[in-house]
Amino acid sequence: MERLIFHIDVNSAYLSWTAVENLKNGDSVDLREIPAIIGGDMASRHGIVLAKSIPAKAYKITTGEPVAHALQKYPKLVMAPPNHKLYSQYSHRLMELLRTFSPAIEQVSIDECYMDFTDYIKNYNSPIDAATKIKDTVRNTFGFTVNVGISNNKLLAKMASDFQKPDRVHTLFPEEVPKKMWPLPVRDLFMVGKSAAATLEKLEILTIGDLAHTDVSILESHMKSHGRLIWEFANGIDDSPVQTQEVELKGVGNSTTLSKDAETSADAKKVLRALCDQVSSRLKKYGQLAGMVSTEIKYATFTNVSHQRQLPNATDDAATLYHYVCLLFDELWNGEPVRLLGVRTSKLTSDPEPVQMSLFDLPKTQKEQKADKAAEELRKRFGDSIIKKGV
């Protein structure tokens, strides 16, 4: 299956997060709707512009310029100081939400990440539908907006997310590169900084298309290995994977925001079954057994509830996890429509102590063990969706 990569970027992150927090605290003016910046000190006129609103951009105020210069361009500019603790909180909450759509996330800064959506597109009609769902869920949950770029590699997804803003979804697949990317100024290409752009312009390479059609040996003679890199980028070439950084395992879990609210127990349990299969596969991948499992429910009203329970024996078996997850779901669910479901395991161990089986612990037959092993091999080769057990 061809890769499907999303690049998700918060629109004017620092300013957006400050604006949302100010509105929550009773402010009547939305900083995003007036000429405003984050950064510096109004009294001393020192510091640099860390973020700007779209109305501020109309006055040619740029991120990174001195605040004093920005005030010369528009003396009535509204300024707000940075609050990095607040930004860290919003970033953490955003990444938690995004992982409910796909856990395969590479966070590259406080306000942007790559998401490998290859294994999850089956739940949606199209990549645009999926990206729009993500974008709208972020806006409706937190009050700020993101752009989502879609492609089959990281470079083109990032370029796409930089197209028209805010609150937009854009595609940039290889066949779209000549029309959408090549006409852009060469300095708009990722990894082309001021110095590289100046060198390219001296060579009369003014657009990304010019760069794509330049003899790569000429670029290497002037810019060494960086010349080849940006030539590849200009041609849409990028094979780098989404690097999901696994922290020291304290738990393994997965959750998903449903494309349509689950209104019955049966509908919800179909999703829980799939989540248990995914969690089981990840436990096996890491060589871990879970001693505790929890079920999470988020209702259509955005109310969250969760409950956990100790397992009789540490396990990585999907059917066992599903059994206890369903028990927890039945305890938790109040009958209201469900928009998100999650399954998490904790108390992991790679070397469980021997356990005494009770008369009620029925070991799997050799045939069942072979079937489980065969199913696991199929999932490894073809993805989690290739085979599923009935509920």
Side-chain angles (χ1 to χ4, degrees):
M1 182 185 298
E2 189 174 47
R3 288 194 306 167
L4 181 64
I5 308 298
F6 293 168
H7 181 261
I8 300 161
D9 191 8
V10 180
N11 301 134
S12 299
Y14 288 178
L15 187 127
S16 292
W17 291 336
T18 300
V20 168
E21 193 68 13
N22 288 352
L23 292 170
K24 285 168 57 178
N25 291 330
D27 279 13
S28 58
V29 177
D30 189 334
L31 293 176
R32 294 167 292 185
E33 298 177 356
I34 62 172
I37 63 169
I38 301 296
D41 179 84
M42 191 66 181
S44 66
R45 300 165 69 90
H46 287 163
I48 63 171
V49 176
L50 299 177
K52 64 186 182 301
S53 65
I54 290 177
K57 187 178 179 181
Y59 293 93
K60 299 184 178 179
I61 293 169
T62 60
T63 301
E65 75 172 314
V67 167
H69 291 178
L71 288 169
Q72 289 173 1
K73 294 175 181 176
Y74 187 67
K76 295 181 181 180
L77 191 66
V78 174
M79 296 173 54
N83 183 341
H84 294 288
K85 182 179 179 181
L86 175 71
Y87 305 153
S88 179
Q89 292 171 350
Y90 271 102
S91 176
H92 179 72
R93 292 168 61 196
L94 172 64
M95 296 303 156
E96 279 192 333
L97 175 64
L98 294 179
R99 285 189 178 91
T100 67
F101 290 93
S102 167
I105 283 180
E106 177 185 351
Q107 185 173 0
V108 290
S109 71
I110 195 169
D111 62 343
E112 63 175 320
C113 69
Y114 295 101
M115 175 187 289
D116 190 329
F117 211 72
T118 309
D119 293 336
Y120 300 90
I121 189 59
K122 60 184 179 292
N123 299 320
Y124 299 87
N125 293 326
S126 70
I128 290 177
D129 284 348
T132 301
K133 178 71 173 179
I134 292 171
K135 173 184 72 69
D136 292 348
T137 301
V138 170
R139 185 189 63 236
N140 296 336
T141 303
F142 300 122
F144 59 84
T145 62
V146 299
N147 264 38
V148 183
I150 307 171
S151 189
N152 57 10
N153 68 44
K154 290 164 63 176
L155 176 276
L156 294 180
K158 179 172 177 60
M159 292 295 297
S161 72
D162 282 336
F163 292 162
Q164 187 179 11
K165 300 178 180 182
D167 200 27
R168 297 296 183 96
V169 169
H170 299 285
T171 63
L172 184 57
F173 291 104
E175 62 271 20
E176 298 177 294
V177 164
K179 181 178 179 180
K180 291 186 176 181
M181 191 172 80
W182 281 353
L184 298 175
V186 71
R187 62 181 64 245
D188 286 356
L189 182 64
F190 181 56
M191 294 298 290
V192 175
K194 290 183 179 179
S195 176
T199 299
L200 294 171
E201 287 167 5
K202 287 178 182 177
L203 296 171
E204 298 186 351
I205 298 171
L206 304 180
T207 68
I208 298 176
D210 293 339
L211 177 59
H213 293 96
T214 299
D215 187 332
V216 70
S217 64
I218 295 174
L219 298 170
E220 287 180 318
S221 68
H222 286 84
M223 307 173 73
K224 299 183 180 179
S225 61
H226 191 68
R228 174 169 287 277
L229 175 68
I230 61 175
W231 177 86
E232 290 178 350
F233 281 4
N235 283 284
I237 300 169
D238 175 29
D239 296 326
S240 60
V242 173
Q243 300 280 2
T244 56
Q245 296 180 346
E246 295 291 346
V247 297
E248 182 180 352
L249 282 178
K250 295 182 180 178
V252 169
N254 202 1
S255 58
T256 184
T257 299
L258 309 184
S259 55
K260 179 182 179 182
D261 291 346
E263 297 185 350
T264 68
S265 174
D267 289 340
K269 288 178 179 178
K270 288 178 184 178
V271 177
L272 291 173
R273 174 77 242 196
L275 290 173
C276 287
D277 287 342
Q278 293 166 11
V279 171
S280 171
S281 293
R282 291 176 65 197
L283 285 169
K284 291 182 172 73
K285 173 184 174 182
Y286 301 134
Q288 299 289 309
L289 302 175
M292 182 170 283
V293 67
S294 67
T295 300
E296 176 190 7
I297 299 173
K298 178 182 283 187
Y299 294 108
T301 58
F302 293 100
T303 302
N304 273 70
V305 291
S306 63
H307 196 31
Q308 63 183 16
R309 71 178 293 163
Q310 183 85 28
L311 297 173
N313 302 316
T315 185
D316 61 5
D317 178 62
T320 303
L321 293 174
Y322 177 66
H323 171 73
Y324 290 104
V325 161
C326 287
L327 292 179
L328 290 168
F329 177 83
D330 291 337
E331 293 174 8
L332 283 170
W333 188 45
N334 66 6
E336 294 179 6
V338 174
R339 70 175 291 114
L340 176 147
L341 287 165
V343 172
R344 306 202 177 276
T345 58
S346 56
K347 291 192 175 181
L348 303 189
T349 177
S350 58
D351 187 20
E353 295 181 1
V355 294
Q356 179 66 45
M357 292 181 67
S358 74
L359 293 175
F360 302 100
D361 290 324
L362 298 177
K364 289 189 176 183
T365 66
Q366 189 175 21
K367 185 176 181 181
E368 289 173 324
Q369 291 173 354
K370 286 182 177 180
D372 284 348
K373 186 176 181 179
E376 186 62 28
E377 288 300 318
L378 285 170
R379 291 191 185 100
K380 286 179 181 178
R381 291 180 61 190
F382 303 109
D384 290 336
S385 63
I386 193 64
I387 187 169
K388 296 180 181 179
K389 294 182 180 178
V391 176

